[in-house]
Amino acid sequence: MKTVHNFNAGPAALPPEVLQQIQEEILDLQGTGLSILEISHRSKEYEKINGETQQLLKDLLNIPHEYEVLFLQGGASTQFAMVPMNFLKSGSVASYIHSGTWAGKAIAEARKFGEVAIVASSEKDHFKKLPALDNLKLPSGTAYIHLTSNETIAGTQYKYFMEPQDVPLIADMSSDILSRTIDVSDFDLIYAGAQKNLGPSGVTVVIVRSELLKRISTTIPDIMNYRIHADSRSLYHTPPVFAVYIVNLVLKWIQANGGVRGVELWNRAKADLIYRTIDGSDNFYSGLADRDSRSLMNVTFRTSNEELEKHFLLESERNGFVGLRGHREAGHLRASIYNAITYDQCKALSEFMKDFQKRFA
């Protein structure tokens, strides 16, 4: 096989050990004689995978007993609509933190269901830094506060979150869940598409406080109702069986590698290595995000001109580096260093960047 360093922003790299196990079990899942791709979601084999995966996530994130763990479909984009559909009632207001592209998409969807207030924004800074979370002025009748913990496009990430409020706090953690320790009890609902740190695209994890489910109207379509999915243990309809199975394997891999705390230490070392390469380049490279807002997951940077960046991408691909082109809305360069990316891969990128600088500075 061709060896590549996969720095794609998502779907992202999976641990080689997980890919190996998938390969070994794809034709015969644990002695059943059936592939994971063809077992029934009502079978005892899948019931075990479903329950075990929920418990693994609870253990790794220390999720309190008063929370439900759901496996849904449709990615974070569906959650942009499900959140206001379930909790933004007539006469109330949804308060959003506008931190970048993904927060903006969540805001646009929420406005289709009711009134939205932007209570903090970094738009004037072109989203290169994160809006402060202290001293928020919430409008009367706020149903919930929504924030995006990590913006993959600009490469920004909250280091800390707000103190608990009197209203529910909801977070999109699609691109940094399980990359660092968090206190789940600070949030009332967390959602995350799996395709960054959890597994493949096709399944979305939702962690929701049980008390919040009591607020949901019975008029919401069942398929979009969090309470329905919680009551049926994420088996209300045919779940994304294969995707949940892979999440199960990834969670076991995290558990075997020191848990979330172990992965966090690894991630900080990787990010520090690449940021030091950028900052020590005598302005040959420059970071896109404000230093205090830099992401551990998505390192965004540029060279001095567009032609040089094109050449950087061409040479990087020739040298086995995949996915370093920035998002079309931001351009420039980006290395997404999710959990499955190793320190050695980041070291290889750092060495390539230094060599490229020597030749073209």
Side-chain angles (χ1 to χ4, degrees), residues 251-270:
L251 294 180
K252 289 177 178 175
W253 174 82
I254 292 174
Q255 193 176 58
N257 282 275
V260 178
R261 182 56 181 160
V263 167
E264 178 178 6
L265 294 173
W266 192 2
N267 285 334
R268 292 191 183 282
K270 294 185 302 185

Side-chain angles (χ1 to χ4, degrees), residues 207-277:
I207 303 165
V208 56
R209 194 187 297 271
S210 302
E211 189 66 27
L212 195 62
L213 299 175
K214 298 176 182 179
R215 305 186 184 190
I216 301 172
S217 169
T218 57
T219 61
I220 295 172
D222 287 352
I223 195 66
M224 302 296 284
N225 189 318
Y226 289 120
R227 187 174 63 248
I228 296 295
H229 289 287
D231 289 345
S232 61
R233 297 177 297 111
S234 298
L235 296 170
Y236 168 69
H237 64 145
T238 305
V241 171
F242 188 49
V244 174
Y245 158 76
I246 299 176
V247 169
N248 180 284
L249 301 184
V250 171
L251 294 180
K252 289 177 178 175
W253 174 82
I254 292 174
Q255 193 176 58
N257 282 275
V260 178
R261 182 56 181 160
V263 167
E264 178 178 6
L265 294 173
W266 192 2
N267 285 334
R268 292 191 183 282
K270 294 185 302 185
D272 182 62
L273 173 63
I274 299 178
Y275 282 125
R276 279 192 284 111
T277 303

Side-chain angles (χ1 to χ4, degrees), residues 52-71:
E52 184 181 66
T53 309
Q54 289 173 328
Q55 190 59 51
L56 280 164
L57 196 61
K58 290 177 180 178
D59 293 343
L60 285 167
L61 286 175
N62 295 314
I63 299 173
H65 71 276
E66 65 267 22
Y67 285 76
E68 301 282 352
V69 174
L70 313 178
F71 300 132

Side-chain angles (χ1 to χ4, degrees), residues 29 32 91 173 208 221 236 269 278 312 335:
L29 175 67
T32 62
M173 292 191 177
V208 56
Y236 168 69
I278 294 168
F312 179 95

Side-chain angles (χ1 to χ4, degrees), residues 288-323:
L288 298 186
D290 182 90
R291 288 197 184 207
D292 291 337
S293 297
R294 282 175 165 177
S295 171
L296 294 178
M297 296 285 93
N298 309 99
V299 180
T300 55
F301 59 103
R302 61 162 60 97
T303 62
S304 57
N305 64 74
E306 188 175 339
E307 286 304 312
L308 197 57
E309 285 180 8
K310 289 179 180 178
H311 195 61
F312 179 95
L313 289 168
L314 183 63
E315 287 218 6
S316 66
E317 290 172 4
R318 286 174 178 167
N319 283 273
F321 297 94
V322 174

